[in-house]
Amino acid sequence: MRIRGFLHKSLKRLYVDGNSKGLPPDAVDKIQKMLAFIQDMEVTRNWRLTFRVDLAESEILDVNYEDYH
């Protein structure tokens, strides 16, 4: 799956050129892994992985794999 657009210029540069300028050096490896995961996702039919984020507690909640039709 191809990523079509970015809002963050440095993130786009990392994705397109492999240049990490403008990103925290200690986060680059993790960001690259997340981008690779997103790019390699193959979603079948209408199935989606969904979740909620509680920013106050820095937690991910209600992770689900559901049929969105």
Side-chain angles (χ1 to χ4, degrees), residues 2-44:
R2 184 175 70 89
I3 299 173
R4 182 168 49 173
F6 290 85
L7 296 177
H8 194 280
K9 291 178 184 179
S10 296
L11 196 58
K12 180 179 180 179
R13 184 179 5 216
L14 178 66
Y15 179 75
V16 173
D17 300 327
N19 182 339
S20 62
K21 180 181 176 187
L23 296 171
D26 59 333
V28 170
D29 184 55
K30 184 182 256 186
I31 292 169
Q32 286 176 316
K33 288 176 183 174
M34 288 189 294
L35 289 173
F37 176 78
I38 291 169
Q39 188 175 6
D40 291 340
M41 280 183 7
E42 285 294 328
V43 177
T44 310

